[in-house]
């Protein structure tokens, strides 16, 4: 089979170009792969992999690879260098970013007032005082709009 890009050489590799609407499969030769900046060479670690043994439970790394279970908490330290690579493949970012803390005091006070207004709204609806409930509903909508504008300012 000839290369889909140059049409001269025999294709050695399958290459997929992914767009937002489609996936295009190409058969390409080594030269065209290099031109596209694709490196198909197999990366092998330079140091021979020795079988690491956990000092806490005696688990061998090869055993861990077979059953995907660590023996004790010391295994994390013993296999740290190898586990780091595995964890990076599973979850690329190691640090947990979590939610951003709210720094604006106005937001905190408005959220507190909103919760109180929502409780009052429920009370007025239960007591069938609909005129007061409508006024509180309007206040809640106003506060929500203010919160949105403040959050846009902070972003």
């Amino acid at each position: 089979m000839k290369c889909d890009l140059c049409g001269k050489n025999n294709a050695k590799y399958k290459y997929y170009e992914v767009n937002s609407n489609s996936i295009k499969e190409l058969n390409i030769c080594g030269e065209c792969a290099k031109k596209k900046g694709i490196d198909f060479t197999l990366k092998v670690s330079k140091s021979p992999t020795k079988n690491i043994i956990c000092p806490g439970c005696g688990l061998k790394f090869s055993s861990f690879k077979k059953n995907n279970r660590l023996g004790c908490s010391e295994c994390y330290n013993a296999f740290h260098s190898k586990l780091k690579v595995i964890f990076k493949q599973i979850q690329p970012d190691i640090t947990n970013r979590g939610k951003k803390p709210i720094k604006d005091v106005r937001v905190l006070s408005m959220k507190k007032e909103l919760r109180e207004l929502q409780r009052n709204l429920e009370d007025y609806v239960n007591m069938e005082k609909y005129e007061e409930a409508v006024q509180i509903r309007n206040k809640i909508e106003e506060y929500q709009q203010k919160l949105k504008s403040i959050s846009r300012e902070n972003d």
Side-chain angles (χ1 to χ4, degrees):
M1 183 182 310
K2 296 289 182 187
C3 176
D4 289 336
L5 297 177
C6 68
K8 299 175 188 174
N9 302 322
N10 287 330
K12 290 183 179 179
Y13 309 106
K14 281 204 182 289
Y15 173 71
Y16 295 92
E17 287 184 351
V18 180
N19 296 328
S20 60
N21 298 332
S22 65
I23 298 173
K24 187 177 179 182
E25 180 182 313
L26 298 172
N27 297 305
I28 60 174
C29 64
E31 290 177 26
C32 291
K34 286 180 186 176
K35 287 177 187 175
K36 280 197 159 283
I38 303 166
D39 184 18
F40 283 108
T41 58
L42 181 63
K43 292 180 173 53
V44 180
S45 62
K46 295 176 184 174
S47 63
T49 57
K50 62 180 181 176
N51 199 9
I52 304 168
I53 299 173
C54 173
C57 64
L59 180 72
K60 294 180 181 180
F61 187 73
S62 59
S63 299
F64 162 72
K65 283 177 68 175
K66 286 180 187 173
N67 61 17
N68 289 329
R69 290 182 188 257
L70 295 173
C72 68
S73 60
E74 290 184 40
C75 289
Y76 287 98
N77 293 328
F79 307 141
H80 177 74
S81 61
K82 304 236 183 222
L83 290 176
K84 193 173 177 182
V85 174
I86 293 169
F87 292 156
K88 243 192 173 133
Q89 290 170 348
I90 295 169
Q91 184 175 347
D93 197 7
I94 292 174
T95 57
N96 180 6
R97 306 238 184 265
K99 290 184 178 181
K100 292 181 182 177
I102 299 173
K103 295 179 182 177
D104 198 340
V105 179
R106 294 178 297 172
V107 173
L108 292 174
S109 64
M110 288 183 83
K111 283 188 175 186
K112 183 178 177 184
E113 288 180 40
L114 262 173
R115 285 192 297 269
E116 185 64 33
L117 285 172
Q118 287 169 341
R119 280 189 220 111
N120 291 343
L121 177 64
E122 286 179 27
D123 292 342
Y124 282 128
V125 169
N126 290 336
M127 292 186 293
E128 297 181 2
K129 294 185 177 180
Y130 299 114
E131 292 81 21
E132 290 88 350
V134 169
Q135 291 174 352
I136 290 180
R137 183 204 61 199
N138 293 340
K139 270 188 183 179
I140 289 173
E141 289 173 357
E142 182 183 321
Y143 273 60
Q144 288 172 339
Q145 290 299 322
K146 285 181 184 178
L147 276 173
K148 285 181 185 177
S149 67
I150 291 172
S151 65
R152 279 189 227 121
E153 288 174 13
N154 292 338
D155 290 339

